[in-house]
Amino acid sequence: MAMLDRESYERRLRDVRLLVLDVDGVLTSGEIIFIDDDREAKMFCARDGSAMFIADLIDLKIAIITARTSKVVERRFSELPVDYLRQGAKNKVSVCLSIQRQEGIADHEIAYIGDDLIDLPMLEHAGLGITVSDGHAKLIEVADWVTLAPGGRGAVREVVDDIVTARGLWDDVLDDYRSRQCLPVGQVENEVG
């Protein structure tokens, strides 16, 4: 399958109502660090976190579906406006279908970002299958789109920015951020990620 051209990609982005994300290799660079006492560490990109606030602003649902289970992941996404966090999901398509039924979202209204072979079924299920620039070669071969940024380095923000662009919503997003400058300091801290 050939990757979409930019115009076709943006046309498909306009229909996206649910952005589904893998964690390791998409929201992180893929490293899993184990510390003494079996504690785990992951590094997340702050720009990807900001993307979740932008998604919330433009009524784009976010679902995180990961095969692993991690307290670090739960901690990170408890502070962000994520609609669904599903860990330990070996069958990501089944979990996604459950979310779709709950939200009334069709397959063509989903974009999925993955990075490795476990993501292939979701890449094929979603109306728009996306992989990161450092994703597995087999995913790059079949993806509808490949981000410029690698996993854990702003790839999710890149896609959310592309959705904002495709929908012509930059003025709304920027106006929202500008209006926060007029809020009292304590209120800004509570409303901004």
Side-chain angles (χ1 to χ4, degrees), residues 94-169:
S94 175
V95 172
C96 186
L97 284 167
S98 174
I99 293 169
Q100 286 178 248
R101 281 190 295 276
Q102 188 172 339
E103 293 289 337
I105 293 175
D107 295 353
H108 77 276
E109 297 173 310
I110 299 169
Y112 179 75
I113 308 176
D115 73 302
D116 211 340
L117 297 178
I118 192 171
D119 300 309
L120 186 59
M122 266 304 301
L123 217 69
E124 293 170 340
H125 169 73
L128 187 58
I130 302 168
T131 192
V132 293
S133 64
D134 60 340
H136 192 281
K138 293 299 180 189
L139 263 66
I140 290 173
E141 285 177 16
V142 301
D144 295 313
W145 192 257
V146 178
T147 63
L148 296 174
R153 300 284 186 264
V156 173
R157 176 61 179 270
E158 179 183 324
V159 172
V160 170
D161 283 357
D162 288 345
I163 292 170
V164 172
T165 298
R167 293 183 181 175
L169 295 174

Side-chain angles (χ1 to χ4, degrees), residues 9-16 128 159 162-163 166-167:
Y9 169 61
E10 288 191 6
R11 190 176 325 109
R12 301 257 293 273
L13 285 174
R14 288 184 201 113
D15 290 337
V16 173
L128 187 58
V159 172
D162 288 345
I163 292 170
R167 293 183 181 175

